[in-house]
Amino acid sequence: MTFAERLRATREKAGISGKDLAAAVGVKYNAYMSYENQGKEPKQETLVKIAAALNITTDELLGVSARQVSPNDDIEPSLSQLQE
């Protein structure tokens, strides 16, 4: 799913119109609709405001899933690489 598709689906699920969401985050309606319809991506500050207005995290909005670190994962090589 693309960012635009997640944004639209999340907004619709929240029952908020595009016009109301644009006003809530302080962007022009045309700019907001370009995020949903033209694949444009908002600046980080706007992304944070959109996520807050939709009551979700920016990671959820971007489609990022957190990777759980398992107790069996060997993190030593990663730590030594950071120290180099």
Side-chain angles (χ1 to χ4, degrees):
M1 183 179 275
T2 67
F3 169 76
E5 292 168 335
R6 274 189 304 283
L7 177 58
R8 178 185 295 260
T10 305
R11 177 185 58 75
E12 289 176 347
K13 184 178 178 183
I16 302 171
S17 73
K19 196 172 219 174
D20 289 340
L21 186 53
V25 299
V27 297
K28 294 183 179 182
Y29 175 67
N30 290 342
Y32 174 78
M33 291 311 292
S34 71
Y35 306 147
E36 284 193 11
N37 298 325
Q38 297 171 5
K40 295 189 178 185
E41 294 184 6
K43 293 180 182 178
Q44 182 180 359
E45 179 181 317
T46 304
L47 180 68
V48 170
K49 290 178 182 178
I50 291 171
L54 294 171
N55 200 30
I56 62 171
T57 67
T58 53
D59 282 353
E60 290 172 300
L61 196 52
L62 294 171
V64 176
S65 60
R67 180 180 169 268
Q68 295 289 342
V69 176
S70 118
N72 298 326
D73 286 350
D74 184 11
I75 62 169
E76 282 301 317
S78 300
L79 291 175
S80 61
Q81 289 173 349
L82 289 173
Q83 293 170 350
E84 293 177 356

